[in-house]
Amino acid sequence: MSSGEFAGQPVMILREGTSRTRGSEALSSNIEAAKVIAEIMRSSLGPKGMDKMIVDSFGDITITNDGATILKEMDVQHPAAKMMVEVAKTQDSEMGDGTTTVVVIAGELLSKAQALIEKGVHPTIIIDGYRKAAEKALEIYDEIAIHVKPEDKNALKKIAITSLYSKITAEDRGILSDIVVDAVLQVAQSTDGKFEVDIDNVKVEKKAGGSITDTSIIQGIIVDKEMVHPGMARRVEKARIALLDCALEVEKTEFEAKLSIERPEQMQSFLDAEERIMRDMVDKIVKSGANFVVCQKGIDDLVQHFLAEERISAVRRVKKSDVEKLSRATGGTIITDIKDLTSKQLGHADLVEERKVADDRMTFVEGCRNAKSVSILVRGGTERVVDEVERSIHDALSVVKDMILEPKMVAGGGAPEAEVASRLKSVATKISGREQLAVRDFAESLEVVPIALAENAGLNTIDALVELRSLHEKGATWAGICPFCGKVEDMKKLEVFEPVGVKKQIIKSATEACSMILRVDDIMSASKMKTGGPPKKPGEETEAED
Ligand code: ADP
Ligand code: MG
């Protein structure tokens, strides 16, 4: 109850206007919302999955197949639907891929749970059953996983290709997977056989124009800026780089200051003083020996002019993250006060060059002191294409990283899900009581992956599922859906591989989200400031405080 009675006085607990939905109503409202999200995602799963076009309130359009992006761009309102968005986010940040799958599986788990609840099984029993099933599923994944060497380029390439296959990048997967694998291997660090990979060291820069096949890997950092002054050299060899997080301008006063000038000489001396300050800044740079300046803030026209005279090139208003990447790549220290600049803080690179890319000019910093810095310059027909390619590359970089960190893989096409389902079902028969039903349902929920892949490839899902089940029972571990051949195939033979880590994380995240939603039996929503209360579904049992 949201209010009680104490000594004959009503006790108010919830703020006025709070609406409340309880018990099975609350649960089914949450499950329905989560199922809607899963339903939306389902048609975009796999290489034959469709894309989504999302238009935001500003009219900006995003076209994507990337689960995490679809959910991020969709303006989801329902709290349980928001939780599904969170699952995809977790999957994205932990593994970088499998975001659609995790949502689709979570939706299926909830849908099956709903049916069990309707039959009178208590949610906590379902949660326990799902937990048990998830633990077992993780074990099965480890059993069936194929072990490879972490630096096995061939395997890494296959992994990247599978990830790129389900995206706009399918056609160009060959070139792109090479770029992705090279990039990740370059930033990978191994100490005593243990690998560490920070894919943030791979800078992905995009520029619309050209075609996807023009995408290239650059040994260094690309900064999307041009040299500030026409008199500056566009090419600086043996660059000594000053990295500045301070403006090369005379600071303007915060408040409006009145300057009363009575005589022309006063004006002149004021200007002279300003010029002297700027001259000093440039002198400091000259003295440090720098021949290239990267400035996070602005550079005054006069400073630009002085720098050009001193044959020092410069770029300004460079993104903070880019300056940080340059610092790591060139070994330079970022200076916040120009007075501190000495030769010690400079970064080094073999070549800094401004080049024309499409209609823009970008600055390439190559041959950096730290060889572990690479950039991928993404190209493609239009802005939207490069955006989607960038997202696909992010997924591919992540799976290659995942694979290096845990070099075990499974085949794709829904084969591993079908295999885990098949083995789980035989585990279920050994469990007594109602939990058995939950374990069985968990197993069947995983089959939504091959089913959705078949659905999206236009296959008859019942036939495909029957065939898959019987093959897996006969020990065909890697029988899965080949959306291109339009039939059930041995996915290992087709060399469609995915890191087992992604699959395991999917199980963990989906189970967690599902238990979280199942455990809720009470929704208390504060009234919205503007609209005066959350939208109510017809017939919803709500109770407003009075
Ligand atoms: P997610 O966001 O979950 O990664 P995707 O749209 O990328 O979703 O689809 C991933 C699914 O597509 C995986 O189950 C994967 O095995 C499958 N898949 C990718 N490429 C192929 C292929 N060439 N043949 C069969 N299945 C594939
Ligand atoms: Mg994917």
CSV table of all heavy atoms in Angstrom, one decimal, residues 45-46 65-67 96-101 162-167 392 395-396 399 498 502, ligand 2:
chain,number,residue,atom,x,y,z
A,45,LEU,N,18.6,-8.7,-37.1
A,45,LEU,CA,19.7,-9.7,-36.8
A,45,LEU,C,20.3,-10.4,-38.0
A,45,LEU,O,19.5,-10.8,-38.9
A,45,LEU,CB,19.1,-10.7,-35.8
A,45,LEU,CG,20.2,-11.7,-35.2
A,45,LEU,CD1,21.0,-11.0,-34.2
A,45,LEU,CD2,19.5,-13.0,-34.7
A,46,GLY,N,21.6,-10.4,-38.0
A,46,GLY,CA,22.3,-11.2,-39.0
A,46,GLY,C,22.5,-10.5,-40.3
A,46,GLY,O,22.1,-9.4,-40.5
A,65,ASN,N,22.1,-0.7,-38.6
A,65,ASN,CA,21.8,-2.1,-38.3
A,65,ASN,C,22.4,-2.4,-36.9
A,65,ASN,O,22.2,-3.5,-36.4
A,65,ASN,CB,22.4,-2.9,-39.4
A,65,ASN,CG,22.2,-4.4,-39.2
A,65,ASN,OD1,22.8,-5.0,-38.3
A,65,ASN,ND2,21.3,-5.0,-39.9
A,66,ASP,N,23.1,-1.5,-36.3
A,66,ASP,CA,23.8,-1.8,-35.1
A,66,ASP,C,22.8,-1.7,-33.9
A,66,ASP,O,22.3,-0.6,-33.6
A,66,ASP,CB,24.9,-0.7,-34.9
A,66,ASP,CG,25.8,-1.1,-33.7
A,66,ASP,OD1,26.3,-2.2,-33.7
A,66,ASP,OD2,25.9,-0.2,-32.8
A,67,GLY,N,22.7,-2.8,-33.2
A,67,GLY,CA,21.7,-2.9,-32.1
A,67,GLY,C,21.9,-1.8,-31.1
A,67,GLY,O,20.9,-1.1,-30.8
A,96,GLY,N,31.4,-5.1,-27.4
A,96,GLY,CA,31.4,-4.3,-28.7
A,96,GLY,C,30.5,-5.0,-29.7
A,96,GLY,O,30.3,-4.4,-30.8
A,97,ASP,N,30.1,-6.2,-29.5
A,97,ASP,CA,29.3,-6.9,-30.5
A,97,ASP,C,28.2,-7.7,-29.8
A,97,ASP,O,28.3,-8.0,-28.6
A,97,ASP,CB,30.1,-7.7,-31.4
A,97,ASP,CG,29.5,-8.0,-32.8
A,97,ASP,OD1,28.4,-7.4,-33.1
A,97,ASP,OD2,30.0,-8.9,-33.5
A,98,GLY,N,27.2,-8.2,-30.6
A,98,GLY,CA,26.2,-9.1,-30.0
A,98,GLY,C,25.1,-8.3,-29.3
A,98,GLY,O,24.3,-8.8,-28.5
A,99,THR,N,25.0,-7.0,-29.6
A,99,THR,CA,24.0,-6.2,-29.0
A,99,THR,C,22.6,-6.5,-29.4
A,99,THR,O,21.6,-6.5,-28.6
A,99,THR,CB,24.2,-4.7,-29.3
A,99,THR,OG1,24.4,-4.5,-30.7
A,99,THR,CG2,25.5,-4.2,-28.5
A,100,THR,N,22.4,-6.9,-30.7
A,100,THR,CA,21.0,-7.2,-31.1
A,100,THR,C,20.7,-8.6,-30.5
A,100,THR,O,19.6,-8.7,-30.0
A,100,THR,CB,21.0,-7.4,-32.7
A,100,THR,OG1,21.7,-6.2,-33.2
A,100,THR,CG2,19.6,-7.4,-33.2
A,101,THR,N,21.6,-9.5,-30.6
A,101,THR,CA,21.3,-10.8,-30.0
A,101,THR,C,20.9,-10.8,-28.6
A,101,THR,O,20.0,-11.5,-28.2
A,101,THR,CB,22.6,-11.7,-30.2
A,101,THR,OG1,23.1,-11.6,-31.5
A,101,THR,CG2,22.3,-13.1,-29.9
A,162,THR,N,33.0,-12.0,-39.9
A,162,THR,CA,31.6,-12.3,-39.4
A,162,THR,C,30.9,-11.0,-38.8
A,162,THR,O,29.8,-10.8,-39.1
A,162,THR,CB,31.7,-13.4,-38.3
A,162,THR,OG1,32.4,-14.5,-38.8
A,162,THR,CG2,30.3,-13.8,-37.9
A,163,SER,N,31.7,-10.3,-38.1
A,163,SER,CA,31.1,-9.1,-37.5
A,163,SER,C,30.7,-8.0,-38.6
A,163,SER,O,29.7,-7.4,-38.5
A,163,SER,CB,32.1,-8.5,-36.5
A,163,SER,OG,31.8,-7.2,-36.2
A,164,LEU,N,31.5,-7.9,-39.6
A,164,LEU,CA,31.3,-7.0,-40.7
A,164,LEU,C,30.2,-7.4,-41.6
A,164,LEU,O,29.5,-6.7,-42.3
A,164,LEU,CB,32.5,-6.7,-41.5
A,164,LEU,CG,33.7,-6.0,-40.8
A,164,LEU,CD1,35.0,-6.2,-41.6
A,164,LEU,CD2,33.4,-4.6,-40.6
A,165,TYR,N,30.0,-8.8,-41.6
A,165,TYR,CA,29.0,-9.4,-42.6
A,165,TYR,C,27.6,-8.9,-42.4
A,165,TYR,O,26.8,-8.7,-43.3
A,165,TYR,CB,29.0,-10.9,-42.4
A,165,TYR,CG,29.2,-11.7,-43.6
A,165,TYR,CD1,30.1,-12.7,-43.7
A,165,TYR,CD2,28.4,-11.3,-44.8
A,165,TYR,CE1,30.3,-13.4,-44.9
A,165,TYR,CE2,28.6,-12.0,-46.0
A,165,TYR,CZ,29.6,-13.1,-46.0
A,165,TYR,OH,29.8,-13.7,-47.2
A,166,SER,N,27.2,-8.6,-41.1
A,166,SER,CA,25.8,-8.3,-40.9
A,166,SER,C,25.6,-6.8,-41.0
A,166,SER,O,24.6,-6.3,-40.6
A,166,SER,CB,25.4,-8.8,-39.5
A,166,SER,OG,26.4,-8.4,-38.5
A,167,LYS,N,26.6,-6.1,-41.6
A,167,LYS,CA,26.4,-4.6,-41.7
A,167,LYS,C,26.6,-4.2,-43.2
A,167,LYS,O,26.8,-5.0,-44.1
A,167,LYS,CB,27.5,-4.0,-40.9
A,167,LYS,CG,27.5,-4.3,-39.4
A,167,LYS,CD,26.5,-3.5,-38.6
A,167,LYS,CE,25.8,-4.3,-37.5
A,167,LYS,NZ,26.6,-4.7,-36.5
A,392,SER,N,30.4,-0.1,-37.7
A,392,SER,CA,30.7,-1.5,-38.0
A,392,SER,C,32.2,-1.8,-37.7
A,392,SER,O,32.5,-2.8,-37.2
A,392,SER,CB,30.5,-1.8,-39.5
A,392,SER,OG,29.3,-1.3,-39.9
A,395,ASP,N,32.6,-2.3,-34.0
A,395,ASP,CA,32.3,-3.7,-33.7
A,395,ASP,C,33.4,-4.7,-34.0
A,395,ASP,O,33.8,-5.5,-33.2
A,395,ASP,CB,31.0,-4.1,-34.4
A,395,ASP,CG,29.7,-3.5,-33.8
A,395,ASP,OD1,29.9,-2.6,-33.0
A,395,ASP,OD2,28.6,-4.0,-34.1
A,396,ALA,N,33.9,-4.5,-35.2
A,396,ALA,CA,34.9,-5.4,-35.7
A,396,ALA,C,36.2,-5.3,-34.9
A,396,ALA,O,36.8,-6.3,-34.5
A,396,ALA,CB,35.2,-5.2,-37.2
A,399,VAL,N,35.6,-7.1,-31.6
A,399,VAL,CA,35.6,-8.6,-31.6
A,399,VAL,C,37.0,-9.1,-31.7
A,399,VAL,O,37.4,-10.1,-31.1
A,399,VAL,CB,34.7,-9.3,-32.6
A,399,VAL,CG1,33.2,-9.2,-32.2
A,399,VAL,CG2,34.9,-8.8,-34.0
A,498,GLU,N,32.9,-16.6,-34.4
A,498,GLU,CA,32.7,-15.5,-33.5
A,498,GLU,C,33.5,-15.8,-32.2
A,498,GLU,O,33.6,-17.0,-31.8
A,498,GLU,CB,31.2,-15.3,-33.2
A,498,GLU,CG,30.4,-14.8,-34.4
A,498,GLU,CD,28.9,-14.7,-34.0
A,498,GLU,OE1,28.2,-15.8,-34.1
A,498,GLU,OE2,28.5,-13.6,-33.7
A,502,VAL,N,32.0,-13.1,-26.6
A,502,VAL,CA,30.8,-12.4,-26.9
A,502,VAL,C,29.6,-13.2,-26.6
A,502,VAL,O,28.6,-12.7,-26.0
A,502,VAL,CB,30.8,-12.0,-28.4
A,502,VAL,CG1,29.5,-11.4,-28.8
A,502,VAL,CG2,31.9,-11.1,-28.8
B,2,MG,MG,27.3,-8.0,-34.9
